[in-house]
Amino acid sequence: MPLGSPWPTIDPFLFCVHHNDSYPAANGDLGPAGSLANREIGSDFGGLDGWRMYHGDTVPGFPRHPHRGFETVTFVRRGLIDHADSLGASARYGEGDVQWLTAGGGVVHSEMFPLLDETGPNPAELFQIWVNFASADKLAEPYFTMLWAEDIPHHTEVDAMRKQIDITVIAGTLAGLTPPPPPPSSWAARSDSDLAMWHIVFDPGATWTMPSSRHPDTVRTVYLFEGDGASFDGELLDAATGAVVVSDHDVSVTSATTGDRIQLLVLQARPIGEPVAQYGPFVMNDRAGIEQAFADYQRTGFGGWPWPADGPAHGHDPGRFARRPDGTIERPGPTVVDRSIEYS
């Protein structure tokens, strides 16, 4: 399956998109110094000059919007994201961090991409993955989770030819490594879900054995989003392609010997196997659930919006942080601090 935007996914994964933007130098207002002419501001997805404003008009990104009935997992490889939500939580995260947000019964959030370097380029690259809930958890309490890069396990293997394979374990287990736990109501939190998310980078010509899953009905999808291709037990997977691979036995993976390193995103889980009704930002089990979601959002705003702008950005301090709904401010590492954050 060719990789478009978004990428095709399989239950319990609802959505996966890879944003990769080569933003120019910043303009002092956390936006691009480049011209915004010929862009459809408010809905700029064309990729003119290699970057997009998305739904932002000054800072690129996605100003406030609601969700219900699933969770978002945002893995940032380069650049920063400024998060704010209707729980009162906010964060600036990136450079390998993951945010895992339970929308559950309803949450409103914004995701802006602040540009801080006024003298050079501001590359931004991230994945956002939507994970469904079982019907029993559709209206779970919203929950805000940060997985800092410093706490996410990384594993490097060296094959017989001294080629390296670098693995980031975002969810699930691999090579004896287990990342921080997902939110408590997540499908990933169920011991029998076998849900895993791995980012894998191969040197050219490297060979690695992908281990079998814990359950025979686990569905494993691989997305080769960078590099010239790879073989899976001798079956070639071309560049910019996704495929379902067997998970009930080990699979030998060998990257192409030409070009740069290849990169894979692996999503696997046992399916939930329930009906899915989706309308925009709401994912329920039937049409009645969607109609109720719209009614509840119109009535309650999912808690309202406590921020001074639809897409707040968190100032020029490049430091990563998470401000939890109770006001506690957390930064990567063991120290919890309490100080003011600049918002704009």
CSV table of all heavy atoms in Angstrom, one decimal, residues 158-196:
chain,number,residue,atom,x,y,z
A,158,VAL,N,23.9,-4.7,16.4
A,158,VAL,CA,24.9,-4.8,15.4
A,158,VAL,C,24.9,-6.2,14.8
A,158,VAL,O,25.0,-7.2,15.4
A,158,VAL,CB,26.3,-4.5,16.0
A,158,VAL,CG1,27.4,-4.5,14.9
A,158,VAL,CG2,26.4,-3.1,16.7
A,159,ASP,N,24.7,-6.2,13.4
A,159,ASP,CA,24.6,-7.5,12.8
A,159,ASP,C,26.0,-8.1,12.5
A,159,ASP,O,27.0,-7.5,12.8
A,159,ASP,CB,23.7,-7.4,11.5
A,159,ASP,CG,24.4,-6.6,10.4
A,159,ASP,OD1,25.6,-6.3,10.5
A,159,ASP,OD2,23.7,-6.3,9.4
A,160,ALA,N,26.0,-9.2,11.8
A,160,ALA,CA,27.2,-9.9,11.5
A,160,ALA,C,28.2,-9.1,10.6
A,160,ALA,O,29.4,-9.4,10.7
A,160,ALA,CB,26.9,-11.3,10.8
A,161,MET,N,27.7,-8.2,9.9
A,161,MET,CA,28.5,-7.3,9.0
A,161,MET,C,28.9,-6.0,9.7
A,161,MET,O,29.3,-5.1,9.0
A,161,MET,CB,27.8,-7.1,7.7
A,161,MET,CG,27.5,-8.4,6.9
A,161,MET,SD,29.0,-9.3,6.5
A,161,MET,CE,29.8,-8.2,5.4
A,162,ARG,N,28.6,-5.9,11.0
A,162,ARG,CA,28.9,-4.7,11.8
A,162,ARG,C,28.0,-3.5,11.4
A,162,ARG,O,28.4,-2.3,11.6
A,162,ARG,CB,30.4,-4.3,11.7
A,162,ARG,CG,31.4,-5.4,12.0
A,162,ARG,CD,31.1,-6.1,13.3
A,162,ARG,NE,31.2,-5.1,14.5
A,162,ARG,CZ,30.8,-5.4,15.7
A,162,ARG,NH1,30.2,-6.6,16.0
A,162,ARG,NH2,31.0,-4.5,16.7
A,163,LYS,N,26.9,-3.8,10.8
A,163,LYS,CA,25.9,-2.8,10.5
A,163,LYS,C,25.0,-2.6,11.7
A,163,LYS,O,24.6,-3.5,12.4
A,163,LYS,CB,25.1,-3.2,9.2
A,163,LYS,CG,25.9,-3.5,8.0
A,163,LYS,CD,26.3,-2.3,7.3
A,163,LYS,CE,26.9,-2.7,5.9
A,163,LYS,NZ,27.3,-1.5,5.1
A,164,GLN,N,24.5,-1.3,11.9
A,164,GLN,CA,23.7,-1.0,13.0
A,164,GLN,C,22.2,-0.9,12.7
A,164,GLN,O,21.8,-0.5,11.6
A,164,GLN,CB,24.1,0.3,13.6
A,164,GLN,CG,25.4,0.3,14.4
A,164,GLN,CD,25.6,1.5,15.3
A,164,GLN,OE1,24.9,2.5,15.2
A,164,GLN,NE2,26.7,1.5,16.0
A,165,ILE,N,21.4,-1.3,13.7
A,165,ILE,CA,20.0,-1.2,13.6
A,165,ILE,C,19.6,-0.5,14.9
A,165,ILE,O,19.8,-1.0,16.0
A,165,ILE,CB,19.3,-2.6,13.5
A,165,ILE,CG1,19.8,-3.3,12.3
A,165,ILE,CG2,17.8,-2.4,13.5
A,165,ILE,CD1,20.9,-4.3,12.6
A,166,ASP,N,19.0,0.7,14.8
A,166,ASP,CA,18.6,1.5,16.0
A,166,ASP,C,17.1,1.5,16.2
A,166,ASP,O,16.4,1.8,15.2
A,166,ASP,CB,19.1,2.9,15.8
A,166,ASP,CG,20.6,3.0,15.8
A,166,ASP,OD1,21.3,2.3,16.6
A,166,ASP,OD2,21.1,3.8,14.9
A,167,ILE,N,16.7,1.1,17.4
A,167,ILE,CA,15.2,0.9,17.6
A,167,ILE,C,14.8,1.8,18.8
A,167,ILE,O,15.4,1.8,19.8
A,167,ILE,CB,15.0,-0.6,18.0
A,167,ILE,CG1,15.5,-1.5,16.9
A,167,ILE,CG2,13.5,-0.8,18.2
A,167,ILE,CD1,15.6,-2.9,17.3
A,168,THR,N,13.7,2.5,18.6
A,168,THR,CA,13.0,3.3,19.6
A,168,THR,C,11.7,2.6,20.0
A,168,THR,O,10.9,2.3,19.1
A,168,THR,CB,12.7,4.7,19.2
A,168,THR,OG1,14.0,5.3,18.8
A,168,THR,CG2,12.1,5.5,20.3
A,169,VAL,N,11.6,2.2,21.3
A,169,VAL,CA,10.4,1.5,21.7
A,169,VAL,C,9.4,2.5,22.4
A,169,VAL,O,9.5,2.8,23.5
A,169,VAL,CB,10.8,0.4,22.7
A,169,VAL,CG1,9.6,-0.5,23.1
A,169,VAL,CG2,11.9,-0.5,22.1
A,170,ILE,N,8.4,2.9,21.6
A,170,ILE,CA,7.4,3.9,22.1
A,170,ILE,C,6.4,3.2,22.9
A,170,ILE,O,5.9,3.7,23.9
A,170,ILE,CB,6.8,4.6,20.8
A,170,ILE,CG1,7.9,5.3,20.0
A,170,ILE,CG2,5.7,5.6,21.3
A,170,ILE,CD1,7.4,5.7,18.7
A,171,ALA,N,6.0,2.0,22.5
A,171,ALA,CA,4.9,1.2,23.2
A,171,ALA,C,5.2,-0.2,23.0
A,171,ALA,O,5.9,-0.6,22.0
A,171,ALA,CB,3.5,1.6,22.7
A,172,GLY,N,4.8,-1.1,23.9
A,172,GLY,CA,5.0,-2.5,23.8
A,172,GLY,C,6.4,-2.8,24.4
A,172,GLY,O,7.0,-2.0,25.1
A,173,THR,N,6.9,-4.0,24.1
A,173,THR,CA,8.2,-4.4,24.6
A,173,THR,C,9.0,-4.9,23.4
A,173,THR,O,8.5,-5.4,22.5
A,173,THR,CB,8.1,-5.5,25.7
A,173,THR,OG1,7.5,-6.6,25.1
A,173,THR,CG2,7.4,-5.0,26.9
A,174,LEU,N,10.3,-4.8,23.6
A,174,LEU,CA,11.2,-5.3,22.5
A,174,LEU,C,12.6,-5.4,23.1
A,174,LEU,O,13.1,-4.5,23.8
A,174,LEU,CB,11.3,-4.4,21.3
A,174,LEU,CG,12.1,-4.9,20.1
A,174,LEU,CD1,11.4,-6.1,19.5
A,174,LEU,CD2,12.2,-3.8,19.0
A,175,ALA,N,13.3,-6.6,22.9
A,175,ALA,CA,14.6,-6.8,23.4
A,175,ALA,C,14.7,-6.5,24.9
A,175,ALA,O,15.8,-6.0,25.4
A,175,ALA,CB,15.6,-5.9,22.6
A,176,GLY,N,13.7,-6.9,25.6
A,176,GLY,CA,13.7,-6.7,27.1
A,176,GLY,C,13.5,-5.3,27.5
A,176,GLY,O,13.5,-5.0,28.7
A,177,LEU,N,13.1,-4.4,26.6
A,177,LEU,CA,12.9,-3.0,27.0
A,177,LEU,C,11.4,-2.7,27.0
A,177,LEU,O,10.7,-3.1,26.1
A,177,LEU,CB,13.6,-2.1,25.9
A,177,LEU,CG,15.1,-2.3,25.8
A,177,LEU,CD1,15.7,-1.4,24.7
A,177,LEU,CD2,15.8,-1.9,27.1
A,178,THR,N,11.0,-1.9,28.0
A,178,THR,CA,9.6,-1.5,28.2
A,178,THR,C,9.6,0.0,28.4
A,178,THR,O,10.2,0.5,29.3
A,178,THR,CB,9.0,-2.3,29.3
A,178,THR,OG1,9.1,-3.7,29.1
A,178,THR,CG2,7.5,-1.9,29.5
A,179,PRO,N,8.8,0.7,27.6
A,179,PRO,CA,8.7,2.2,27.8
A,179,PRO,C,7.8,2.5,29.0
A,179,PRO,O,7.2,1.7,29.6
A,179,PRO,CB,8.1,2.6,26.5
A,179,PRO,CG,7.3,1.5,26.0
A,179,PRO,CD,8.0,0.2,26.5
A,180,PRO,N,7.7,3.8,29.3
A,180,PRO,CA,6.8,4.2,30.3
A,180,PRO,C,5.4,3.8,29.9
A,180,PRO,O,5.0,3.6,28.8
A,180,PRO,CB,6.9,5.8,30.3
A,180,PRO,CG,8.3,6.0,29.8
A,180,PRO,CD,8.5,4.9,28.8
A,181,PRO,N,4.5,3.6,30.9
A,181,PRO,CA,3.2,3.0,30.6
A,181,PRO,C,2.3,4.0,29.9
A,181,PRO,O,2.4,5.2,30.0
A,181,PRO,CB,2.6,2.7,32.0
A,181,PRO,CG,3.3,3.7,32.9
A,181,PRO,CD,4.7,3.8,32.4
A,182,PRO,N,1.4,3.5,29.1
A,182,PRO,CA,0.4,4.3,28.4
A,182,PRO,C,-0.7,4.8,29.4
A,182,PRO,O,-0.7,4.3,30.5
A,182,PRO,CB,-0.2,3.4,27.3
A,182,PRO,CG,-0.1,2.0,27.9
A,182,PRO,CD,1.2,2.1,28.7
A,183,PRO,N,-1.6,5.6,29.0
A,183,PRO,CA,-2.7,6.0,29.9
A,183,PRO,C,-3.5,4.8,30.3
A,183,PRO,O,-3.6,3.8,29.6
A,183,PRO,CB,-3.6,7.0,29.0
A,183,PRO,CG,-2.6,7.5,28.0
A,183,PRO,CD,-1.7,6.4,27.7
A,184,PRO,N,-4.1,4.9,31.5
A,184,PRO,CA,-4.7,3.7,32.1
A,184,PRO,C,-5.9,3.1,31.3
A,184,PRO,O,-6.2,1.9,31.4
A,184,PRO,CB,-5.2,4.2,33.5
A,184,PRO,CG,-5.2,5.7,33.4
A,184,PRO,CD,-4.2,6.0,32.4
A,185,SER,N,-6.7,3.9,30.6
A,185,SER,CA,-7.8,3.4,29.8
A,185,SER,C,-7.5,3.0,28.4
A,185,SER,O,-8.3,2.5,27.7
A,185,SER,CB,-8.9,4.5,29.8
A,185,SER,OG,-9.4,4.8,31.1
A,186,SER,N,-6.2,3.1,28.0
A,186,SER,CA,-5.8,2.8,26.7
A,186,SER,C,-6.0,1.3,26.3
A,186,SER,O,-5.8,0.5,27.2
A,186,SER,CB,-4.4,3.3,26.5
A,186,SER,OG,-3.9,2.9,25.2
A,187,TRP,N,-6.3,1.0,25.1
A,187,TRP,CA,-6.2,-0.3,24.6
A,187,TRP,C,-4.8,-0.9,24.8
A,187,TRP,O,-4.6,-2.1,25.2
A,187,TRP,CB,-6.6,-0.4,23.1
A,187,TRP,CG,-6.6,-1.7,22.5
A,187,TRP,CD1,-5.8,-2.2,21.6
A,187,TRP,CD2,-7.6,-2.8,22.8
A,187,TRP,NE1,-6.2,-3.5,21.2
A,187,TRP,CE2,-7.3,-3.9,22.0
A,187,TRP,CE3,-8.7,-2.9,23.6
A,187,TRP,CZ2,-8.0,-5.1,22.0
A,187,TRP,CZ3,-9.4,-4.0,23.7
A,187,TRP,CH2,-9.1,-5.1,22.8
A,188,ALA,N,-3.8,0.0,24.7
A,188,ALA,CA,-2.4,-0.4,25.0
A,188,ALA,C,-2.1,-0.9,26.4
A,188,ALA,O,-1.2,-1.6,26.7
A,188,ALA,CB,-1.4,0.7,24.6
A,189,ALA,N,-3.0,-0.4,27.4
A,189,ALA,CA,-2.8,-0.7,28.8
A,189,ALA,C,-3.3,-2.1,29.1
A,189,ALA,O,-3.0,-2.7,30.2
A,189,ALA,CB,-3.5,0.3,29.6
A,190,ARG,N,-4.0,-2.7,28.2
A,190,ARG,CA,-4.5,-4.1,28.4
A,190,ARG,C,-3.4,-5.1,28.1
A,190,ARG,O,-2.8,-5.1,27.0
A,190,ARG,CB,-5.7,-4.4,27.5
A,190,ARG,CG,-6.9,-3.4,27.8
A,190,ARG,CD,-8.1,-4.0,27.1
A,190,ARG,NE,-9.3,-3.1,27.3
A,190,ARG,CZ,-10.5,-3.4,27.1
A,190,ARG,NH1,-10.8,-4.7,26.8
A,190,ARG,NH2,-11.5,-2.5,27.3
A,191,SER,N,-3.2,-6.0,29.0
A,191,SER,CA,-2.0,-6.9,28.9
A,191,SER,C,-2.1,-7.8,27.7
A,191,SER,O,-1.1,-8.3,27.2
A,191,SER,CB,-1.9,-7.7,30.2
A,191,SER,OG,-3.1,-8.5,30.4
A,192,ASP,N,-3.4,-8.1,27.2
A,192,ASP,CA,-3.6,-9.0,26.1
A,192,ASP,C,-3.7,-8.2,24.8
A,192,ASP,O,-4.0,-8.9,23.7
A,192,ASP,CB,-4.8,-9.9,26.3
A,192,ASP,CG,-6.1,-9.1,26.4
A,192,ASP,OD1,-6.0,-7.8,26.6
A,192,ASP,OD2,-7.2,-9.7,26.4
A,193,SER,N,-3.5,-6.9,24.7
A,193,SER,CA,-3.7,-6.2,23.5
A,193,SER,C,-2.5,-6.4,22.5
A,193,SER,O,-2.6,-6.2,21.3
A,193,SER,CB,-3.9,-4.7,23.7
A,193,SER,OG,-2.7,-4.1,24.2
A,194,ASP,N,-1.3,-6.6,23.1
A,194,ASP,CA,-0.1,-6.8,22.3
A,194,ASP,C,0.2,-5.6,21.5
A,194,ASP,O,0.8,-5.7,20.4
A,194,ASP,CB,-0.2,-8.1,21.4
A,194,ASP,CG,1.2,-8.6,21.1
A,194,ASP,OD1,2.2,-8.3,21.8
A,194,ASP,OD2,1.3,-9.4,20.1
A,195,LEU,N,-0.2,-4.4,21.9
A,195,LEU,CA,0.0,-3.2,21.2
A,195,LEU,C,1.5,-2.7,21.3
A,195,LEU,O,2.1,-2.7,22.4
A,195,LEU,CB,-0.9,-2.1,21.6
A,195,LEU,CG,-1.0,-0.8,20.7
A,195,LEU,CD1,-2.4,-0.2,20.8
A,195,LEU,CD2,0.0,0.2,21.2
A,196,ALA,N,2.1,-2.4,20.1
A,196,ALA,CA,3.4,-1.9,20.1
A,196,ALA,C,3.6,-0.9,19.0
A,196,ALA,O,2.9,-0.9,18.0
A,196,ALA,CB,4.4,-3.1,19.9
